[in-house]
Amino acid sequence: KLQFLYLIGVAGTMSGDGYRWRQTAYELTVIMPIPANVKGKNVVFALKDQRLKLGYLSTTVVEGKLCGRVDVEDAIWDIDTIDGERCVQVIIAKVMGSDPTPWTHLTEEEAEAKKDTDLSITHKVFFDVQVGAADSKPERITMGLYGKVVPRSAENFRCLCTGEKGGKLHYKGTRFHKAVEGFLVEG
C-alpha cells in the first residue's frame, strides 16, 4: 500500500553561499565550485562528529553541524566538471534508519540563519494513483507546496498537477518507477 503523504518543496538542489547540495533517501551530495588553479591537495575536507568542513586554500565554504545523521566513515570527494563548472563533489551516506524526512538545510548554522524563512504550504495538489491492477481503486497522494520558498518551482509543479496549461503539460498517465514507503515516489 502506498503511504506517501507529503512532498518537500525545497527538496531537489538547494544552495548556500558558494555551494549547492542535493539529497536522496540514502545520501547527500555537496557541490562546491572551485577556481582552475585549485588542485586536490588544496581541498579542505573534514567530516567528524556530524560536523562538515569544506573549502579550498584559505577559503572555508561550508562549516557546521549537519542537520541530520550521516555515516562519517562513508564519504568520498573528487574534483569534476559539473554543468560545465569545475567543482569539488562530496558524497556522504546518510545513516539508514534515521529520520527519513528530507533536510531543508545542510547545516544547523544555515538553518539558524534562515529560521525566519516562511515554510507555510501555499498550495496542496494531489495525484490519484492506481497501485497494481488497472481495475484497482486509485489511492490519493496529497502534496504540500512551499510557494514562498520556491515560488516558480511550486507554481510549475501545481500547473503540471492540474494540467491547466493544456497539451501534454500534465502528469496524467505517468508511471512511477520507484516508491520508498513514507518518503518518496519517482516517475
Side-chain angles (χ1 to χ4, degrees):
K1 184 172 179 175
L2 193 59
Q3 296 183 0
F4 177 80
L5 298 175
Y6 62 90
L7 174 72
I8 297 292
V10 295
T13 301
M14 283 70 74
S15 61
D17 292 331
Y19 67 95
R20 57 191 184 273
W21 64 285
R22 61 182 176 262
Q23 62 187 314
T24 67
Y26 311 105
E27 67 187 22
L28 296 173
T29 302
V30 181
I31 300 165
M32 175 182 66
I34 56 173
N37 66 330
V38 173
K39 308 291 183 223
K41 66 182 180 181
N42 305 123
V43 173
V44 176
F45 171 74
L47 181 59
K48 184 177 179 183
D49 299 327
Q50 305 300 306
R51 295 190 66 80
L52 172 65
K53 182 174 184 177
L54 181 63
Y56 57 91
L57 299 171
S58 61
T59 304
T60 299
V61 177
V62 181
E63 184 170 21
K65 184 173 185 200
L66 295 171
C67 284
R69 295 185 54 224
V70 298
D71 183 349
V72 297
E73 300 297 322
D74 193 359
I76 60 169
W77 68 268
D78 67 350
I79 295 177
D80 201 355
T81 300
I82 301 171
D83 299 328
E85 187 174 33
R86 192 162 183 270
C87 299
V88 170
Q89 175 177 255
V90 179
I91 300 172
I92 307 168
K94 290 183 176 179
V95 171
M96 298 311 296
S98 61
D99 183 1
T101 305
W103 301 8
T104 57
H105 299 91
L106 183 61
T107 65
E108 290 180 1
E109 291 78 1
E110 178 187 318
E112 181 63 26
K114 296 180 180 179
K115 70 180 178 184
D116 294 330
T117 300
D118 186 350
L119 293 177
S120 59
I121 294 173
T122 57
H123 294 91
K124 285 188 179 181
V125 295
F126 62 89
F127 290 161
D128 286 329
V129 179
Q130 284 182 288
V131 179
D135 61 344
S136 63
K137 182 181 175 198
E139 297 184 43
R140 182 158 286 184
I141 299 172
T142 303
M143 297 161 278
L145 306 181
Y146 298 92
K148 293 183 180 175
V149 178
V150 287
R152 189 179 317 164
S153 297
E155 179 60 14
N156 287 342
F157 187 75
R158 187 191 68 75
C159 289
L160 289 169
C161 289
T162 64
E164 66 189 57
K165 298 290 184 182
K168 294 183 179 183
L169 297 174
H170 58 77
Y171 285 116
K172 187 174 183 175
T174 299
R175 295 178 179 263
F176 293 119
H177 63 266
K178 179 179 182 180
V180 178
E181 187 174 334
F183 182 62
L184 69 88
V185 290
E186 291 179 0

